[in-house]
Amino acid sequence: MRLGAVVLTMGNRPEELRALLRSVADQEGEPVEVVVVGNGAPLPALPDGVRKVELPENLGIPGGRNVGIEAFGSSGGEVDALLFLDDDGLLPSTDTAELVREAFEADPGLGIITFRIADPDTGVTQRRHVPRLRASDPLRSSKVTTFLGGANAVRTRVLAEVGGLPDEFFYAHEETDLAWRALDAGWGIEYRADMVLHHPTTAPSRHAVYHRMVARNRVWLARRNLPALLVPVYLTVWLLLTLARRPSMPALRAWLGGFKEGWTTPAGSRRPMRWRTVWRLTRLGRPPVI
């Protein structure tokens, strides 16, 4: 199985990027082809053989990763699967690529694998990095309904069948949008605790646009993918959860502004999932109302 890797960078972490690329080059088995996408930023010097794309402007996370996909041909078709890795991440084990190959080859219906993210110093996996409701045991692998954006592997047949990430999201929830479309097409998604990406512990709110984008894209996600009956249920639940978390007033204002923006701006193509997919998500432990 041929593997490629897409690494997105803003050009501000050159040392971490080089360390990540070394960890990819050290993987056992056939070499993993790599493309580094400079998302509105010039790229530093990179090892020989690494493909390079410098974008004149920041297209956001999904837009930049989609450019990286196309660097491997239409829908990434030059390879069988693509790894998507954060530029400040690191693969601590040399067998991760081989584990990815084995998992995809063993299960033809497996479309996406999401890795376990662990802090390199403490080994701790943040609860938000376990993509299921029952997240207390990050060492338990399971089938899931979404995946982690900078620590995953996607079979390129999935991308050819359902399309790439939603460019217009820019940041937040783009993985769930792709995951729901993949599940609706019959593909499976697995969280694998034995495939680890080291990444420093961070808070998602470090991004200035976090609260607005999270709210806007949550609305877009529902409008694009859910049956009409579930859209108000899903969004009401998330509104109540947000209020229950008692965010600061500036954060709440940004969130409510994004929530309004999600309703008043185009969400992109609407392709509501089938009710049997709703039932499948429910059986997997995450009904699409939360």
Side-chain angles (χ1 to χ4, degrees):
M1 173 169 275
R2 299 163 298 167
L3 295 183
V6 175
V7 181
L8 197 62
T9 185
M10 297 290 291
N12 56 351
R13 294 188 282 240
E15 291 301 321
E16 292 91 337
L17 174 60
R18 282 190 281 269
L20 169 66
L21 295 177
R22 284 195 298 271
S23 74
V24 175
D26 288 343
Q27 292 298 301
E28 300 164 11
E30 291 295 315
V32 179
E33 296 287 334
V34 180
V35 62
V36 178
V37 179
N39 209 0
L43 292 173
L46 298 175
D48 292 340
V50 173
R51 307 184 192 194
K52 308 172 187 178
V53 179
E54 289 187 347
L55 300 175
E57 61 179 311
N58 182 357
L59 299 182
I61 293 173
R65 286 183 175 144
N66 283 337
V67 169
I69 291 169
E70 296 302 309
F72 290 98
S74 178
S75 300
E78 293 177 10
V79 293
D80 298 302
L82 285 169
L83 312 181
F84 294 89
L85 305 171
D86 276 346
D87 66 343
D88 56 345
L90 185 79
L91 296 174
S93 300
T94 60
D95 65 348
T96 301
E98 283 291 83
L99 290 174
V100 168
R101 292 186 182 99
E102 291 170 4
F104 280 136
E105 288 169 351
D107 183 357
L110 178 60
I112 302 172
I113 301 169
T114 184
F115 305 160
R116 179 168 65 89
I117 295 178
D119 184 273
D121 297 321
T122 65
V124 171
T125 296
Q126 293 179 272
R127 188 180 182 90
R128 70 185 182 91
H129 284 152
V130 183
R132 58 180 180 241
L133 291 180
R134 296 179 179 178
S136 60
D137 183 6
L139 299 182
R140 178 174 67 87
S141 299
S142 69
K143 295 180 179 180
V144 290
T145 61
T146 189
F147 63 99
L148 307 173
N152 67 79
V154 180
R155 197 189 293 268
T156 53
R157 282 179 55 201
V158 173
L159 302 171
E161 184 173 347
V162 307
L165 297 158
D167 287 348
E168 56 268 42
F169 278 39
F170 197 84
Y171 164 77
H173 302 316
E174 66 271 8
E175 301 90 2
T176 301
D177 187 87
L178 175 57
W180 282 1
R181 285 182 279 127
L183 288 163
D184 196 48
W187 295 98
I189 306 172
E190 287 189 5
Y191 168 72
R192 287 286 298 265
D194 57 335
M195 301 181 190
V196 179
L197 181 88
H198 276 174
H199 189 281
T201 297
T202 56
S205 54
R206 70 190 185 279
H207 298 289
V209 297
Y210 171 76
H211 296 288
R212 180 175 70 87
M213 293 292 193
V214 161
R216 183 197 68 181
N217 292 358
R218 183 79 70 183
V219 178
W220 281 358
L221 178 70
R223 289 175 58 196
R224 287 162 60 98
N225 295 287
L226 290 181
L229 288 175
L230 293 184
V231 172
V233 179
Y234 178 83
L235 294 175
T236 298
V237 168
W238 277 105
L239 175 61
L240 294 175
L241 282 173
T242 299
L243 294 174
R245 290 168 178 168
R246 302 177 67 182
S248 67
M249 283 306 299
L252 181 59
R253 282 195 295 268
W255 195 96
L256 291 173
F259 193 78
K260 178 181 178 181
E261 184 182 350
W263 284 108
T264 57
T265 55
S269 299
R270 175 166 166 76
R271 290 183 288 184
M273 66 178 65
R274 293 166 291 186
W275 282 102
R276 69 181 184 186
T277 304
V278 173
W279 176 236
R280 183 183 183 192
L281 290 165
T282 302
R283 287 189 292 110
L284 288 171
R286 189 143 199 171
V289 293
I290 189 168

